[in-house]
Amino acid sequence: LPRPRHAGGELSCIPSCRYHFFLGGGLFLALRVFHTASLQSTTAWLHEPGLGTVELVNTYTPLAADRAAPGLFLEGEEITIADGGDGSVAIDLRPTSASAIAALRRAQVGDGASTGRPELRLRANEGHAFGWIPAGADGSSDGPVIHRPQMTARVASWRGEEVSGYGYSKRYYAIYPRHNGWRFIHGVSGPHLSGVVDSGAGSGAAPVAPSPDSPTPPSIVWTADATFGDHKYNYFKLLAPEGHGSGQLRESAQADTYQQQDAAYGVIGGERVTASLREIATWHTILGGGGGGAMEMKYENRLCAFTLQVGDRPPTTGLAYNERCFGCLW
């Protein structure tokens, strides 16, 4: 990641990357790297019915970047991210906390050759990538935010089996205002997702993870409702099953889309579209908080059961990731 800087006044240059994946066996994995002028934060967590919610990594130790590598390469004691220029992504997680080590041993992920600790290895293909300049960013100097909502991923060893599913990645490098807040949803659903697994969260059953091997591609929604400084920012994007090959998106006008606590709304092609959530698992942390004008932001993730309703058509169901983040980026 490029070195961030304060750009003067109420602006700061913020690079970041984020990934999450809905995988077979009820496994969900999310991770994010924030790099601001006051800190670098790396976090990762998972949820699985047999393990519940497990924090894997939560560190401010900076990751080393290999600038000679193609694409993005970041590495630290607990994580390696190799997001190459060929559309492939490799993520290895080898946490050091006793609780995370115990959870991964129960999941039989295998040990890393150099550390002797359990190492969760995920490999992914990026699918279609979409990019644009968000509101509040400096379009003259910033690159676009890159969204990859159609990633396919696999973990070779999870409880003795290979598990696969869909995921999402976002990467950006931009000058942002100091005070920000956003809600974000990425959901994957399909009519074929009739099986259920116990969520393990006391909230009933959750749909199984959408599978890349299913005969019909899923519907994929991603939507945000945000304020960056004084700038309103929102969108609602739909990659329908018939759009998976071409990458053709359908989207709502900004004036027609917004979010509530457990739902997002848009209008696409004259039809009202509703993305509804039911929480399965949640995790959060406070980023920064050291005072002295440094960054302090509540960063919350939720794994949710997801229902997509498009007009009067039959609803489709699946899983969604919900991110909520409010505070100071600095």
Side-chain angles (χ1 to χ4, degrees):
L1 293 172
R3 179 177 295 278
R5 67 190 186 278
H6 286 144
E10 286 289 299
L11 297 174
S12 185
C13 188
I14 311 296
S16 178
C17 58
R18 179 177 81 206
Y19 305 85
H20 64 260
F21 302 95
F22 313 105
L23 300 162
L27 173 61
F28 172 77
L29 174 67
L31 63 113
R32 183 157 193 167
V33 179
F34 272 109
H35 194 185
T36 74
S38 65
L39 60 82
Q40 184 179 124
S41 162
T42 303
T43 57
W45 68 283
L46 65 78
H47 181 81
E48 191 247 24
L51 298 175
T53 298
V54 180
E55 181 176 275
L56 299 174
V57 179
N58 192 345
T59 180
Y60 293 107
T61 302
L63 302 177
D66 184 350
R67 302 189 186 282
L72 176 72
F73 185 91
L74 300 172
E75 188 167 36
E77 182 182 7
E78 298 182 278
I79 188 171
T80 301
I81 302 172
D83 197 336
D86 60 354
S88 65
V89 177
I91 298 171
D92 296 333
L93 289 159
R94 41 189 179 275
T96 58
S97 76
S99 58
I101 288 172
L104 292 187
R105 287 211 189 283
R106 287 180 59 192
Q108 306 167 24
V109 299
D111 289 348
S114 61
T115 66
R117 300 194 305 271
E119 187 167 270
L120 174 58
R121 304 177 188 92
L122 181 141
R123 300 296 181 263
N125 295 312
E126 70 174 11
H128 294 294
F130 307 90
W132 60 83
I133 300 292
D138 180 357
S140 64
S141 61
D142 302 335
V145 175
I146 304 301
H147 300 260
R148 294 177 291 180
Q150 189 207 17
M151 297 185 80
T152 54
R154 63 180 178 84
V155 170
S157 178
W158 184 264
R159 298 193 183 276
E161 298 181 354
E162 179 176 291
V163 293
S164 62
Y166 283 95
Y168 169 94
S169 168
K170 176 180 179 180
R171 289 174 55 186
Y172 63 83
Y173 174 70
I175 295 175
Y176 279 89
R178 180 183 180 111
H179 300 98
N180 302 276
W182 65 82
R183 296 173 180 270
F184 171 85
I185 295 169
H186 171 253
V188 184
S189 68
H192 54 282
L193 303 178
S194 57
V196 295
V197 294
D198 185 351
S199 71
S203 57
V208 297
S211 171
D213 298 325
S214 296
T216 303
S219 295
I220 298 177
V221 164
W222 79 108
T223 173
D225 192 342
T227 300
F228 298 134
D230 296 326
H231 301 274
K232 188 68 179 72
Y233 177 58
N234 56 349
Y235 62 82
F236 192 113
K237 313 279 186 181
L238 170 63
L239 183 65
E242 61 272 18
H244 276 243
S246 65
Q248 182 176 2
L249 291 179
R250 303 176 65 200
E251 58 187 296
S252 175
Q254 286 185 297
D256 295 327
T257 180
Y258 61 95
Q259 292 193 22
Q260 297 289 350
Q261 183 77 352
D262 294 307
Y265 303 92
V267 177
I268 298 178
E271 294 181 302
R272 182 173 174 85
V273 183
T274 303
S276 301
L277 307 179
R278 176 175 57 79
E279 182 180 298
I280 297 170
T282 184
W283 170 90
H284 80 273
T285 191
I286 303 297
L287 299 175
M295 175 172 172
E296 182 173 359
M297 177 168 275
K298 182 178 181 181
Y299 176 51
E300 182 182 12
N301 293 182
R302 298 197 301 165
L303 170 66
C304 298
F306 174 57
T307 300
L308 177 65
Q309 180 74 56
V310 180
D312 295 328
R313 307 178 202 180
T316 57
T317 59
L319 295 170
Y321 166 88
N322 180 209
E323 178 178 289
R324 302 188 292 218
C325 206
F326 295 90
C328 170
L329 275 172
W330 201 242

